[in-house]
Amino acid sequence: MRRLLNTLYVFTENAYLALDGENVVVKAEGKEIGRIPLHTLESIASFSYRGASPALMGKCVECGVALNFFDRKGRFLAAACGESKGNVLLRKAQYEASNSEEKSLAIARNFIVGKLFNSRWVLERAIRDHSLRIDVQAVSDASGKIKASIDHARTCGSLETLRGIEGDAAAEYFGVFGELILRDKEAFGFGGRVRRPPTDPVNAMLSLFYTVLSRDCASALEGVGLDSYVGLLHADRPGRQSLALDLMEELRSVFVDRFVLSAINNRIAKPSHFVTRETGEVRISDEGRKALFGFWQDRKKEPIVHPFIKEKMPRGLVPHIQARLLAKCIRGDLDGYPPFLWK
């Protein structure tokens, strides 16, 4: 089984990443500010504008270390990619499934069933644990509507209908998501999902960590030999890793949404960590990124028991397990794709 290693996050604005032997070296202003053995890393996320040396990019590709570049807003820019080494027969089966609505729908239904199940569980857990601090009726009503959406998703007859079911359920979910914020409600008010650009701290955190999760899913898919750009639910677009977006659907609420809620309710995220620009866009400060990514890394190491394979593992390995299950489904080794259903 794959081991969960560390992720190196580089926030220093003018940092340059280089290779020295078997080490990644971080330099700024001509001085070395960090040195880490490459074999201890599973990925590197750089938020610096200076980039990395070709030698380091080549070594990361060779060693299977994901090297991803983000801008200062946290928007994904690029990744270091090498020669494709995926199983050609698996990829041919993937392309065949992608070109068949019937085959795509059979798998995509389970992506969305998993997403809706986990979203509803987030709401139900809030009712169970914090009934005296939230509007139970509103949250319960949204949960009931999402439950009905799960039934519709299981039996819908087209991808277009499935996307509509998912969109309606997401509106119900985010319509009460603000109820789950228990501290600093004035600073962390949430009126709904706003993507580009985020106009409040909650949306800024959601957008950033959805991007991080999508990169984890893309690495997991490439690791099992699948093409992360060829989707089953999300339409193919140049430069968009559609299959990674498919895979992350069922993981959004339990990995990112609950992470953001925990960061706020446990005071990891503070109002001072966010800056509002003249355009209305809200950005996370360097101090805020450091606090949040440290918390994210700790969460990835938390042990869980996978609900399908019944094995104990760090939470951060779940995308890799789901990618492996998806590959087995596409190859025909499993009758259907088992989504990650968490309680």
Side-chain angles (χ1 to χ4, degrees):
M1 176 166 301
R2 180 186 176 97
R3 282 197 306 137
L4 179 66
L5 300 175
N6 294 312
T7 297
L8 172 62
Y9 298 102
V10 180
F11 300 111
T12 304
E13 188 171 338
N14 63 343
Y16 181 74
L17 281 67
L19 181 70
D20 184 8
E22 298 295 319
N23 300 296
V24 55
V25 177
V26 184
K27 299 180 180 180
E29 305 292 343
K31 297 180 180 179
E32 180 177 320
I33 61 173
R35 173 182 292 260
I36 299 176
L38 205 56
H39 73 269
T40 66
L41 299 174
E42 69 170 0
S43 61
I44 301 170
S46 174
F47 293 78
S48 165
Y49 62 80
R50 294 195 61 197
S53 71
L56 176 63
M57 288 189 276
K59 189 68 173 179
C60 285
V61 169
E62 177 187 335
C63 297
V65 176
L67 175 54
N68 300 309
F69 299 94
F70 300 82
D71 67 11
R72 300 299 295 163
K73 300 178 185 179
R75 184 173 63 90
F76 173 72
L77 295 175
C81 300
E83 179 183 1
S84 175
K85 299 179 182 178
N87 182 320
V88 65
L89 297 180
L90 173 60
R91 292 204 175 199
K92 287 179 71 174
Q94 178 190 353
Y95 301 149
E96 181 183 350
S98 179
N99 288 327
S100 165
E101 171 141 350
E102 180 182 358
K103 292 181 178 180
S104 293
L105 181 60
I107 298 174
R109 280 197 199 104
N110 287 349
F111 289 145
I112 297 306
V113 167
K115 176 178 184 175
L116 302 185
F117 179 95
N118 291 331
S119 296
R120 182 168 182 261
W121 173 80
V122 170
L123 300 184
E124 288 295 318
R125 178 163 179 166
I127 294 171
R128 184 193 72 189
D129 295 345
H130 306 294
S131 60
L132 298 179
R133 304 178 67 182
I134 66 174
D135 184 340
V136 172
Q137 187 61 56
V139 176
S140 182
D141 287 347
S143 176
K145 291 176 182 178
I146 293 172
K147 182 180 180 182
S149 294
I150 295 173
D151 296 334
H152 295 155
R154 286 195 173 109
T155 58
C156 73
S158 71
L159 288 171
E160 182 179 0
T161 301
L162 183 63
R163 295 184 187 110
I165 292 169
E166 184 277 330
D168 291 344
E172 293 292 340
Y173 172 73
F174 282 118
V176 296
F177 188 75
E179 285 293 324
L180 280 55
I181 297 170
L182 306 178
R183 296 182 185 274
D184 295 319
K185 281 184 172 285
E186 183 175 346
F188 292 105
F190 182 81
R193 186 76 178 100
V194 181
R195 294 167 177 79
R196 299 186 184 90
T199 54
D200 59 74
V202 178
N203 274 296
M205 288 186 283
L206 289 173
S207 291
L208 175 56
F209 286 96
Y210 284 153
T211 301
V212 172
L213 179 59
S214 75
R215 295 306 308 160
D216 287 348
C217 289
S219 296
L221 291 165
E222 297 289 346
V224 299
L226 290 167
D227 187 337
S228 63
Y229 288 88
V230 178
L232 302 170
L233 173 65
H234 288 81
D236 296 338
R237 293 180 186 172
R240 183 169 83 170
Q241 291 178 301
S242 296
L243 192 63
L245 298 179
D246 291 350
L247 187 66
M248 73 178 282
E249 288 293 358
E250 68 208 65
L251 305 179
R252 285 176 182 264
S253 56
V254 288
F255 275 69
V256 176
D257 300 354
R258 290 202 64 236
F259 163 81
V260 169
L261 291 171
S262 295
I264 296 170
N265 294 337
N266 294 327
R267 303 189 189 279
I268 305 296
K270 302 176 182 178
S272 61
H273 288 161
F274 301 89
V275 179
T276 302
R277 299 176 63 84
E278 294 179 358
T279 59
E281 176 186 5
V282 172
R283 293 189 185 179
I284 307 172
S285 69
D286 287 348
E287 181 184 359
R289 284 198 195 97
K290 290 176 183 177
L292 288 169
F293 275 99
F295 188 41
W296 177 262
Q297 193 67 17
D298 289 341
R299 296 273 286 203
K300 287 176 70 174
K301 295 176 181 177
E302 289 179 355
I304 66 167
V305 176
H306 192 282
F308 182 75
I309 66 173
K310 308 300 182 185
E311 289 186 16
K312 190 175 182 179
M313 66 187 65
R315 180 188 294 264
L317 283 185
V318 170
H320 298 276
I321 299 302
Q322 294 307 119
R324 192 173 300 280
L325 293 172
L326 179 59
K328 286 180 177 291
C329 175
I330 290 173
R331 276 198 301 264
D333 298 338
L334 290 174
D335 292 336
Y337 171 72
F340 181 79
L341 305 178
W342 187 240
K343 273 195 172 182

